Coordinates of all heavy atoms in Angstrom, one line a residue:
M1 N -7.0 3.3 15.2 CA -7.4 3.4 13.8 C -8.9 3.0 13.7 O -9.4 2.0 14.4 CB -6.6 2.4 12.9 CG -7.0 2.4 11.5 SD -6.3 1.1 10.5 CE -4.6 1.5 10.7
D2 N -9.6 3.6 12.9 CA -11.0 3.3 12.6 C -11.1 2.0 11.9 O -10.5 1.7 10.9 CB -11.6 4.4 11.8 CG -13.1 4.3 11.6 OD1 -13.6 3.1 11.5 OD2 -13.8 5.3 11.4
I3 N -11.9 1.0 12.5 CA -12.0 -0.3 12.0 C -12.6 -0.3 10.6 O -12.2 -1.1 9.7 CB -12.9 -1.2 12.9 CG1 -12.2 -1.3 14.3 CG2 -13.2 -2.5 12.3 CD1 -13.0 -2.0 15.3
D4 N -13.5 0.6 10.3 CA -14.2 0.7 9.0 C -13.5 1.6 8.0 O -14.0 1.8 6.9 CB -15.6 1.1 9.2 CG -16.4 0.1 9.9 OD1 -16.2 -1.1 9.8 OD2 -17.3 0.6 10.7
K5 N -12.3 2.0 8.3 CA -11.6 2.9 7.4 C -11.4 2.4 6.0 O -11.5 3.1 5.0 CB -10.2 3.3 8.0 CG -9.5 4.4 7.2 CD -8.3 4.9 8.0 CE -7.6 6.0 7.2 NZ -6.4 6.5 8.0
Y6 N -11.1 1.1 5.9 CA -10.9 0.5 4.6 C -12.0 -0.4 4.2 O -11.9 -1.3 3.3 CB -9.6 -0.3 4.6 CG -8.4 0.7 4.7 CD1 -7.7 0.9 5.9 CD2 -8.1 1.5 3.6 CE1 -6.7 1.8 6.0 CE2 -7.0 2.4 3.7 CZ -6.4 2.6 4.9 OH -5.4 3.5 5.0
K7 N -13.2 -0.3 4.8 CA -14.4 -1.1 4.4 C -14.8 -0.9 3.0 O -15.0 -1.9 2.3 CB -15.6 -0.6 5.3 CG -16.8 -1.5 5.1 CD -17.9 -1.0 6.1 CE -19.2 -1.8 5.9 NZ -20.2 -1.3 6.9
N8 N -14.7 0.3 2.5 CA -15.1 0.6 1.1 C -14.1 -0.1 0.1 O -14.5 -0.7 -0.9 CB -15.2 2.1 0.8 CG -15.8 2.4 -0.6 OD1 -16.7 1.7 -1.0 ND2 -15.3 3.4 -1.2
L9 N -12.8 0.0 0.4 CA -11.8 -0.6 -0.4 C -12.0 -2.1 -0.4 O -12.0 -2.7 -1.5 CB -10.4 -0.3 0.2 CG -9.2 -1.1 -0.5 CD1 -9.1 -0.7 -2.0 CD2 -7.9 -0.8 0.2
R10 N -12.2 -2.7 0.7 CA -12.5 -4.2 0.8 C -13.7 -4.6 0.0 O -13.7 -5.5 -0.8 CB -12.6 -4.6 2.2 CG -12.8 -6.1 2.4 CD -13.0 -6.6 3.8 NE -12.2 -5.9 4.8 CZ -11.0 -6.4 5.2 NH1 -10.6 -7.5 4.7 NH2 -10.3 -5.8 6.1
Y11 N -14.8 -3.8 0.1 CA -16.0 -4.1 -0.6 C -15.8 -4.0 -2.1 O -16.2 -4.9 -2.9 CB -17.1 -3.0 -0.2 CG -18.4 -3.2 -1.0 CD1 -19.3 -4.2 -0.7 CD2 -18.7 -2.4 -2.0 CE1 -20.4 -4.4 -1.4 CE2 -19.9 -2.5 -2.7 CZ -20.8 -3.5 -2.4 OH -21.9 -3.7 -3.1
R12 N -15.1 -3.0 -2.6 CA -14.9 -2.8 -4.0 C -14.0 -3.9 -4.6 O -14.2 -4.5 -5.7 CB -14.2 -1.5 -4.4 CG -15.2 -0.3 -4.3 CD -14.7 1.0 -4.7 NE -13.6 1.3 -3.7 CZ -12.5 2.0 -4.0 NH1 -12.3 2.4 -5.3 NH2 -11.6 2.3 -3.1
L13 N -13.0 -4.3 -3.8 CA -12.1 -5.4 -4.2 C -12.8 -6.8 -4.2 O -12.6 -7.6 -5.1 CB -10.9 -5.5 -3.3 CG -9.9 -4.4 -3.4 CD1 -8.9 -4.5 -2.2 CD2 -9.1 -4.5 -4.7
M14 N -13.7 -7.0 -3.3 CA -14.4 -8.2 -3.2 C -15.5 -8.4 -4.4 O -15.9 -9.5 -4.7 CB -15.1 -8.4 -1.9 CG -14.0 -8.6 -0.8 SD -14.7 -8.8 0.9 CE -15.3 -10.5 0.8
E15 N -15.8 -7.3 -5.0 CA -16.7 -7.4 -6.1 C -16.1 -8.0 -7.3 O -16.7 -8.5 -8.2 CB -17.2 -6.0 -6.5 CG -18.2 -5.3 -5.6 CD -18.7 -4.0 -6.0 OE1 -17.9 -3.2 -6.7 OE2 -19.8 -3.6 -5.8
N16 N -14.7 -8.0 -7.3 CA -14.0 -8.6 -8.4 C -14.0 -10.1 -8.3 O -13.6 -10.6 -7.2 CB -12.6 -8.0 -8.4 CG -11.8 -8.5 -9.7 OD1 -12.2 -9.4 -10.3 ND2 -10.8 -7.7 -10.0
N17 N -14.3 -10.8 -9.3 CA -14.3 -12.3 -9.3 C -13.1 -12.9 -10.0 O -13.0 -14.1 -10.2 CB -15.6 -12.8 -9.9 CG -16.8 -12.5 -9.2 OD1 -16.8 -12.4 -7.9 ND2 -17.9 -12.2 -9.9
N18 N -12.2 -12.0 -10.4 CA -11.0 -12.5 -11.1 C -9.8 -12.5 -10.3 O -8.8 -11.8 -10.5 CB -10.8 -11.6 -12.4 CG -11.9 -11.6 -13.3 OD1 -12.6 -12.7 -13.4 ND2 -12.2 -10.5 -14.0
W19 N -9.7 -13.4 -9.3 CA -8.6 -13.5 -8.4 C -7.7 -14.6 -8.9 O -8.2 -15.6 -9.3 CB -9.0 -13.7 -6.9 CG -9.7 -12.5 -6.4 CD1 -11.0 -12.3 -6.3 CD2 -9.1 -11.4 -5.8 NE1 -11.3 -11.1 -5.8 CE2 -10.2 -10.5 -5.4 CE3 -7.8 -10.9 -5.6 CZ2 -9.9 -9.3 -4.9 CZ3 -7.6 -9.7 -5.0 CH2 -8.6 -8.9 -4.7
P20 N -6.4 -14.5 -8.8 CA -5.6 -13.4 -8.3 C -5.7 -12.3 -9.3 O -5.9 -12.5 -10.5 CB -4.2 -13.9 -8.2 CG -4.1 -15.1 -9.1 CD -5.5 -15.7 -9.2
L21 N -5.4 -11.0 -8.8 CA -5.4 -9.9 -9.7 C -4.2 -9.0 -9.4 O -3.6 -9.0 -8.3 CB -6.7 -9.1 -9.6 CG -6.9 -8.2 -8.4 CD1 -6.5 -6.8 -8.7 CD2 -8.4 -8.2 -8.0
K22 N -3.8 -8.2 -10.4 CA -2.7 -7.3 -10.3 C -3.2 -6.1 -9.5 O -4.3 -5.5 -9.9 CB -2.1 -6.9 -11.6 CG -1.1 -7.8 -12.2 CD -0.4 -7.2 -13.4 CE 0.6 -8.2 -13.9 NZ 1.2 -7.7 -15.1
Y23 N -2.5 -5.7 -8.5 CA -3.0 -4.5 -7.7 C -1.8 -3.5 -7.6 O -0.6 -4.0 -7.4 CB -3.5 -4.9 -6.3 CG -4.0 -3.8 -5.6 CD1 -5.3 -3.3 -5.8 CD2 -3.3 -3.2 -4.6 CE1 -5.8 -2.2 -5.1 CE2 -3.8 -2.1 -3.8 CZ -5.1 -1.6 -4.1 OH -5.6 -0.6 -3.4
M24 N -2.1 -2.3 -7.6 CA -1.0 -1.3 -7.5 C -1.1 -0.6 -6.1 O -2.1 0.1 -5.8 CB -1.1 -0.2 -8.6 CG 0.0 0.8 -8.4 SD 0.1 2.1 -9.8 CE -1.4 3.0 -9.4
F25 N -0.1 -0.8 -5.3 CA 0.0 -0.1 -4.0 C 0.8 1.2 -4.3 O 1.7 1.2 -5.0 CB 0.8 -0.9 -3.0 CG 0.1 -2.2 -2.6 CD1 0.4 -3.4 -3.3 CD2 -0.8 -2.2 -1.6 CE1 -0.2 -4.6 -2.9 CE2 -1.4 -3.4 -1.2 CZ -1.1 -4.6 -1.9
K26 N 0.3 2.3 -3.6 CA 1.1 3.5 -3.8 C 1.1 4.2 -2.4 O 0.0 4.5 -1.8 CB 0.4 4.4 -4.8 CG 1.1 5.7 -5.1 CD 1.3 5.9 -6.6 CE 2.1 7.1 -6.8 NZ 3.0 7.0 -7.9
F27 N 2.3 4.6 -2.0 CA 2.5 5.3 -0.7 C 3.4 6.4 -0.9 O 4.4 6.3 -1.7 CB 3.0 4.3 0.3 CG 2.2 3.0 0.5 CD1 2.7 1.9 0.0 CD2 1.0 3.0 1.1 CE1 2.0 0.7 0.1 CE2 0.3 1.9 1.3 CZ 0.7 0.7 0.8
I28 N 3.3 7.5 -0.1 CA 4.3 8.5 -0.1 C 4.7 8.5 1.4 O 3.9 8.6 2.3 CB 3.7 9.9 -0.4 CG1 3.2 9.9 -1.9 CG2 4.7 11.0 -0.2 CD1 2.5 11.1 -2.3
T29 N 6.1 8.4 1.5 CA 6.6 8.3 2.9 C 7.8 9.3 3.1 O 8.5 9.6 2.1 CB 7.1 6.9 3.1 OG1 7.6 6.8 4.4 CG2 8.2 6.5 2.1
P30 N 8.0 9.8 4.3 CA 9.1 10.6 4.6 C 10.4 9.8 4.3 O 10.4 8.6 4.5 CB 9.0 10.9 6.1 CG 7.6 10.7 6.4 CD 7.1 9.6 5.5
N31 N 11.4 10.4 3.9 CA 12.7 9.8 3.5 C 13.7 9.8 4.7 O 14.8 10.3 4.5 CB 13.3 10.4 2.3 CG 14.4 9.6 1.7 OD1 14.6 8.5 1.9 ND2 15.2 10.3 0.9
H32 N 13.2 9.3 5.8 CA 14.1 9.3 7.0 C 13.6 8.2 8.0 O 12.5 7.7 7.8 CB 14.2 10.7 7.7 CG 12.9 11.2 8.2 ND1 12.3 10.8 9.3 CD2 12.0 12.1 7.6 CE1 11.1 11.4 9.5 NE2 11.0 12.2 8.5
D33 N 14.4 8.0 9.0 CA 14.1 7.0 10.0 C 13.7 5.6 9.5 O 12.9 4.9 10.2 CB 12.9 7.6 10.9 CG 13.3 8.8 11.6 OD1 14.5 9.0 11.9 OD2 12.4 9.6 12.0
G34 N 14.2 5.2 8.4 CA 13.9 3.9 7.9 C 12.5 3.6 7.4 O 12.1 2.5 7.2
K35 N 11.7 4.7 7.2 CA 10.3 4.5 6.8 C 10.2 3.9 5.4 O 9.3 3.1 5.2 CB 9.6 5.9 6.8 CG 9.5 6.4 8.3 CD 8.6 7.5 8.5 CE 8.7 8.1 9.8 NZ 8.1 7.3 10.9
V36 N 11.1 4.2 4.5 CA 11.0 3.5 3.2 C 11.3 2.0 3.3 O 10.5 1.2 2.7 CB 12.1 4.2 2.2 CG1 12.1 3.4 0.9 CG2 11.8 5.6 2.0
D37 N 12.2 1.7 4.2 CA 12.4 0.2 4.4 C 11.3 -0.4 5.1 O 11.0 -1.6 4.8 CB 13.7 0.0 5.3 CG 15.0 0.4 4.5 OD1 15.0 0.3 3.2 OD2 16.0 0.7 5.1
Q38 N 10.6 0.3 6.0 CA 9.4 -0.3 6.6 C 8.3 -0.6 5.6 O 7.6 -1.6 5.6 CB 8.8 0.7 7.7 CG 9.7 0.8 8.9 CD 9.2 1.8 9.9 OE1 7.9 2.0 10.0 NE2 10.1 2.6 10.5
I39 N 8.1 0.3 4.6 CA 7.1 0.1 3.5 C 7.6 -1.0 2.7 O 6.8 -1.9 2.3 CB 7.0 1.4 2.7 CG1 6.3 2.5 3.5 CG2 6.1 1.1 1.4 CD1 4.9 2.3 3.9
K40 N 8.8 -1.1 2.3 CA 9.3 -2.2 1.5 C 9.1 -3.5 2.1 O 8.8 -4.5 1.4 CB 10.8 -2.0 1.2 CG 11.1 -1.0 0.1 CD 12.6 -0.7 -0.1 CE 13.6 -1.8 0.1 NZ 15.0 -1.4 -0.1
A41 N 9.3 -3.6 3.4 CA 9.1 -4.9 4.1 C 7.6 -5.4 4.1 O 7.4 -6.6 4.2 CB 9.5 -4.7 5.6
L42 N 6.7 -4.4 3.9 CA 5.3 -4.8 3.9 C 4.9 -5.4 2.5 O 3.9 -6.2 2.4 CB 4.4 -3.6 4.2 CG 4.5 -3.0 5.6 CD1 3.6 -1.8 5.6 CD2 4.0 -4.0 6.6
L43 N 5.5 -4.9 1.5 CA 5.1 -5.2 0.1 C 5.5 -6.6 -0.3 O 6.6 -7.1 0.1 CB 5.7 -4.2 -0.8 CG 5.2 -2.7 -0.6 CD1 6.0 -1.7 -1.4 CD2 3.8 -2.6 -0.9
P44 N 4.8 -7.2 -1.2 CA 5.1 -8.6 -1.7 C 6.4 -8.6 -2.4 O 6.7 -7.7 -3.2 CB 4.0 -8.9 -2.7 CG 2.9 -7.9 -2.4 CD 3.5 -6.7 -1.8
N45 N 7.3 -9.6 -2.1 CA 8.6 -9.7 -2.8 C 8.4 -10.0 -4.3 O 9.3 -9.6 -5.1 CB 9.4 -10.9 -2.2 CG 9.8 -10.6 -0.8 OD1 9.9 -9.4 -0.4 ND2 9.9 -11.6 0.0
S46 N 7.3 -10.5 -4.7 CA 7.1 -10.9 -6.1 C 6.7 -9.6 -6.9 O 6.6 -9.7 -8.1 CB 6.0 -11.9 -6.2 OG 4.8 -11.5 -5.7
G47 N 6.3 -8.5 -6.3 CA 5.9 -7.3 -7.0 C 7.0 -6.5 -7.6 O 8.2 -6.7 -7.2
K48 N 6.6 -5.7 -8.5 CA 7.6 -4.8 -9.1 C 7.5 -3.5 -8.4 O 6.4 -2.8 -8.5 CB 7.3 -4.6 -10.6 CG 8.3 -3.6 -11.3 CD 7.9 -3.5 -12.8 CE 8.8 -2.6 -13.5 NZ 9.5 -1.7 -13.6
T49 N 8.5 -3.1 -7.7 CA 8.5 -1.9 -6.8 C 9.4 -0.8 -7.4 O 10.5 -1.1 -7.8 CB 8.9 -2.3 -5.4 OG1 8.1 -3.3 -4.9 CG2 8.8 -1.1 -4.5
T50 N 8.8 0.4 -7.5 CA 9.6 1.5 -8.0 C 9.6 2.6 -6.9 O 8.6 2.7 -6.1 CB 9.1 2.1 -9.3 OG1 7.7 2.4 -9.2 CG2 9.2 1.0 -10.4
F51 N 10.6 3.5 -7.0 CA 10.7 4.6 -6.0 C 11.0 5.9 -6.8 O 11.8 5.9 -7.7 CB 11.9 4.3 -5.1 CG 11.8 3.0 -4.4 CD1 12.4 1.9 -4.9 CD2 11.1 2.9 -3.2 CE1 12.3 0.6 -4.3 CE2 11.0 1.7 -2.5 CZ 11.6 0.5 -3.1
K52 N 10.4 6.9 -6.3 CA 10.6 8.2 -6.9 C 10.7 9.3 -5.8 O 9.8 9.4 -5.0 CB 9.5 8.6 -7.9 CG 9.7 10.0 -8.5 CD 8.7 10.3 -9.6 CE 9.1 11.6 -10.2 NZ 8.4 11.9 -11.4
H53 N 11.9 9.9 -5.7 CA 12.1 10.9 -4.7 C 11.6 12.3 -5.1 O 11.7 12.6 -6.3 CB 13.6 11.0 -4.4 CG 14.2 9.8 -3.8 ND1 14.5 8.7 -4.5 CD2 14.5 9.5 -2.5 CE1 15.0 7.7 -3.7 NE2 15.0 8.2 -2.5
T54 N 11.2 13.1 -4.1 CA 10.9 14.5 -4.4 C 12.2 15.2 -4.7 O 13.3 14.7 -4.4 CB 10.2 15.1 -3.2 OG1 11.0 15.0 -2.1 CG2 8.8 14.5 -3.0
S55 N 12.1 16.4 -5.3 CA 13.3 17.1 -5.7 C 14.2 17.5 -4.5 O 15.4 17.6 -4.6 CB 13.0 18.4 -6.5 OG 12.1 19.2 -5.7
N56 N 13.6 17.7 -3.3 CA 14.3 18.0 -2.1 C 14.7 16.8 -1.3 O 15.3 16.9 -0.2 CB 13.5 19.1 -1.3 CG 12.2 18.5 -0.8 OD1 11.9 17.3 -0.9 ND2 11.4 19.4 -0.2
L57 N 14.3 15.6 -1.8 CA 14.7 14.3 -1.2 C 14.0 14.1 0.2 O 14.4 13.2 0.9 CB 16.2 14.1 -1.1 CG 16.9 14.2 -2.4 CD1 18.4 14.0 -2.1 CD2 16.5 13.1 -3.4
K58 N 13.0 14.9 0.5 CA 12.4 14.7 1.8 C 11.3 13.6 1.8 O 11.0 13.1 2.9 CB 11.7 16.0 2.3 CG 12.7 17.1 2.7 CD 11.9 18.3 3.2 CE 12.9 19.4 3.7 NZ 12.3 20.5 4.3
H59 N 10.8 13.3 0.7 CA 9.8 12.2 0.6 C 10.1 11.3 -0.6 O 10.7 11.7 -1.5 CB 8.4 12.8 0.4 CG 7.9 13.6 1.6 ND1 8.2 14.9 1.8 CD2 7.2 13.2 2.7 CE1 7.7 15.3 3.0 NE2 7.0 14.3 3.5
V60 N 9.5 10.1 -0.5 CA 9.7 9.1 -1.5 C 8.3 8.5 -1.8 O 7.5 8.2 -1.0 CB 10.6 7.9 -1.1 CG1 10.7 6.9 -2.2 CG2 11.9 8.5 -0.6
S61 N 8.0 8.5 -3.1 CA 6.8 7.8 -3.6 C 7.2 6.3 -3.9 O 8.1 6.1 -4.6 CB 6.3 8.4 -4.9 OG 5.3 7.7 -5.5
V62 N 6.5 5.4 -3.2 CA 6.7 4.0 -3.4 C 5.5 3.4 -4.1 O 4.4 3.5 -3.6 CB 6.9 3.3 -2.0 CG1 7.2 1.8 -2.2 CG2 8.0 4.0 -1.2
T63 N 5.8 2.7 -5.2 CA 4.7 2.1 -6.0 C 5.1 0.6 -6.2 O 6.2 0.3 -6.5 CB 4.6 2.8 -7.4 OG1 4.3 4.1 -7.2 CG2 3.4 2.1 -8.2
C64 N 4.1 -0.2 -6.0 CA 4.4 -1.7 -6.1 C 3.2 -2.3 -6.9 O 2.0 -2.1 -6.4 CB 4.6 -2.4 -4.8 SG 4.8 -4.2 -4.9
I65 N 3.5 -3.0 -8.0 CA 2.4 -3.7 -8.7 C 2.7 -5.2 -8.4 O 3.8 -5.7 -8.8 CB 2.4 -3.3 -10.2 CG1 2.2 -1.9 -10.4 CG2 1.4 -4.2 -10.9 CD1 2.3 -1.4 -11.8
A66 N 1.7 -5.8 -7.9 CA 1.9 -7.2 -7.5 C 0.6 -8.0 -7.7 O -0.5 -7.5 -7.7 CB 2.3 -7.3 -6.0
L67 N 0.8 -9.3 -8.0 CA -0.3 -10.2 -8.1 C -0.8 -10.6 -6.7 O 0.0 -11.2 -6.0 CB 0.1 -11.4 -8.9 CG -1.0 -12.3 -9.5 CD1 -1.9 -11.5 -10.5 CD2 -0.4 -13.5 -10.2
M68 N -2.0 -10.3 -6.4 CA -2.5 -10.5 -5.0 C -3.6 -11.6 -5.1 O -4.4 -11.6 -6.1 CB -3.1 -9.2 -4.5 CG -2.1 -8.1 -4.4 SD -0.6 -8.5 -3.4 CE -1.3 -8.6 -1.8
D69 N -3.7 -12.4 -4.1 CA -4.6 -13.5 -4.0 C -6.0 -13.2 -3.5 O -7.0 -13.9 -3.7 CB -4.1 -14.7 -3.2 CG -2.9 -15.3 -3.9 OD1 -2.9 -15.4 -5.1 OD2 -1.9 -15.7 -3.2
S70 N -6.1 -12.1 -2.7 CA -7.4 -11.8 -2.1 C -7.5 -10.3 -1.7 O -6.5 -9.6 -1.5 CB -7.6 -12.7 -0.8 OG -6.8 -12.3 0.2
A71 N -8.7 -9.9 -1.5 CA -8.9 -8.5 -1.0 C -8.4 -8.3 0.4 O -7.8 -7.3 0.8 CB -10.4 -8.2 -1.0
D72 N -8.4 -9.4 1.2 CA -7.9 -9.3 2.6 C -6.4 -9.0 2.6 O -5.9 -8.3 3.5 CB -8.2 -10.6 3.4 CG -9.7 -10.7 3.7 OD1 -10.4 -9.7 3.8 OD2 -10.1 -11.9 3.9
Q73 N -5.7 -9.6 1.7 CA -4.2 -9.4 1.6 C -4.0 -7.9 1.3 O -3.1 -7.3 1.9 CB -3.6 -10.2 0.5 CG -3.4 -11.6 0.8 CD -2.7 -12.4 -0.3 OE1 -2.9 -12.1 -1.5 NE2 -1.8 -13.3 0.0
I74 N -4.7 -7.4 0.4 CA -4.5 -6.0 0.0 C -4.8 -5.0 1.1 O -4.1 -4.1 1.4 CB -5.4 -5.6 -1.3 CG1 -4.8 -6.5 -2.5 CG2 -5.4 -4.2 -1.6 CD1 -5.8 -6.5 -3.7
V75 N -6.0 -5.2 1.8 CA -6.4 -4.4 2.9 C -5.4 -4.5 4.0 O -5.0 -3.5 4.7 CB -7.8 -4.7 3.3 CG1 -8.2 -4.0 4.6 CG2 -8.8 -4.3 2.2
E76 N -4.9 -5.7 4.3 CA -3.9 -5.9 5.4 C -2.7 -5.1 5.2 O -2.2 -4.4 6.1 CB -3.6 -7.3 5.6 CG -2.6 -7.6 6.7 CD -2.3 -9.1 6.9 OE1 -3.1 -9.9 6.5 OE2 -1.3 -9.3 7.5
I77 N -2.1 -5.1 4.0 CA -0.9 -4.4 3.7 C -1.2 -2.9 3.8 O -0.4 -2.1 4.4 CB -0.4 -4.7 2.3 CG1 0.2 -6.1 2.3 CG2 0.7 -3.7 1.8 CD1 0.5 -6.7 0.9
T78 N -2.3 -2.4 3.3 CA -2.7 -1.0 3.3 C -2.8 -0.5 4.7 O -2.4 0.5 5.1 CB -3.9 -0.8 2.5 OG1 -3.7 -1.3 1.2 CG2 -4.3 0.7 2.4
E79 N -3.5 -1.3 5.6 CA -3.7 -0.9 7.0 C -2.4 -0.9 7.7 O -2.2 0.1 8.5 CB -4.6 -1.9 7.7 CG -6.1 -1.8 7.3 CD -6.9 -2.9 7.9 OE1 -6.4 -4.0 8.3 OE2 -8.1 -2.6 8.1
Q80 N -1.5 -1.8 7.5 CA -0.2 -1.8 8.1 C 0.7 -0.6 7.7 O 1.3 0.1 8.5 CB 0.6 -3.1 7.8 CG 0.0 -4.3 8.5 CD 0.8 -5.5 8.2 OE1 1.8 -5.5 7.6 NE2 0.2 -6.7 8.6
A81 N 0.6 -0.2 6.4 CA 1.3 1.0 6.0 C 0.8 2.2 6.6 O 1.5 3.2 6.9 CB 1.3 1.0 4.4
D82 N -0.5 2.3 6.7 CA -1.2 3.4 7.3 C -0.8 3.7 8.8 O -0.9 4.8 9.2 CB -2.7 3.3 7.2 CG -3.5 4.6 7.4 OD1 -3.0 5.6 7.0 OD2 -4.6 4.5 7.9
K83 N -0.4 2.6 9.4 CA 0.1 2.8 10.8 C 1.4 3.4 11.0 O 1.8 3.9 12.1 CB 0.1 1.4 11.5 CG -1.3 0.8 11.7 CD -1.2 -0.6 12.3 CE -2.5 -1.3 12.4 NZ -2.4 -2.6 12.9
I84 N 2.2 3.5 9.9 CA 3.5 4.1 10.0 C 3.4 5.6 9.9 O 2.8 6.1 9.0 CB 4.4 3.6 8.8 CG1 4.5 2.1 8.8 CG2 5.8 4.3 8.8 CD1 5.2 1.5 7.6
E85 N 3.9 6.2 10.9 CA 3.8 7.7 11.1 C 4.4 8.4 9.9 O 5.5 8.2 9.4 CB 4.5 8.2 12.3 CG 4.3 9.6 12.6 CD 5.0 10.1 13.9 OE1 5.3 9.2 14.7 OE2 5.2 11.3 14.0
G86 N 3.5 9.3 9.3 CA 4.0 10.2 8.2 C 3.7 9.6 6.8 O 3.9 10.3 5.8
V87 N 3.2 8.3 6.8 CA 3.0 7.7 5.5 C 1.6 8.1 5.0 O 0.6 8.1 5.7 CB 3.1 6.2 5.6 CG1 2.6 5.5 4.3 CG2 4.5 5.8 5.9
I88 N 1.5 8.4 3.7 CA 0.3 8.8 3.0 C -0.1 7.6 2.1 O 0.7 7.2 1.3 CB 0.4 10.1 2.2 CG1 0.7 11.2 3.1 CG2 -0.9 10.3 1.5 CD1 1.1 12.5 2.4
V89 N -1.3 7.1 2.3 CA -1.7 6.0 1.4 C -2.6 6.6 0.3 O -3.5 7.3 0.6 CB -2.6 5.0 2.3 CG1 -3.2 3.9 1.4 CG2 -1.8 4.4 3.4
L90 N -2.2 6.2 -0.9 CA -3.0 6.7 -2.1 C -3.8 5.6 -2.7 O -3.5 4.5 -2.6 CB -2.0 7.3 -3.1 CG -1.1 8.4 -2.6 CD1 -0.2 8.9 -3.7 CD2 -2.0 9.6 -2.2

């Protein structure tokens, strides 16, 4: 993975001086091989997580809105999700 892939995200988040802040994570994942569960395991338990399946049930949109304490937390979750094969980070 490119080390600077999320540099811009981290920079934009660090410009915010109002921590903690509500952040919306959004991922699209294949609906097989436990990938939805892998994404769920990365997300904060305190967040509100919703799931929406495509009409053919091949993919799932996972959205989580959670109160995050730092830009590093957000980038870490995003980087880990990006490592899961087939997951699209939005």
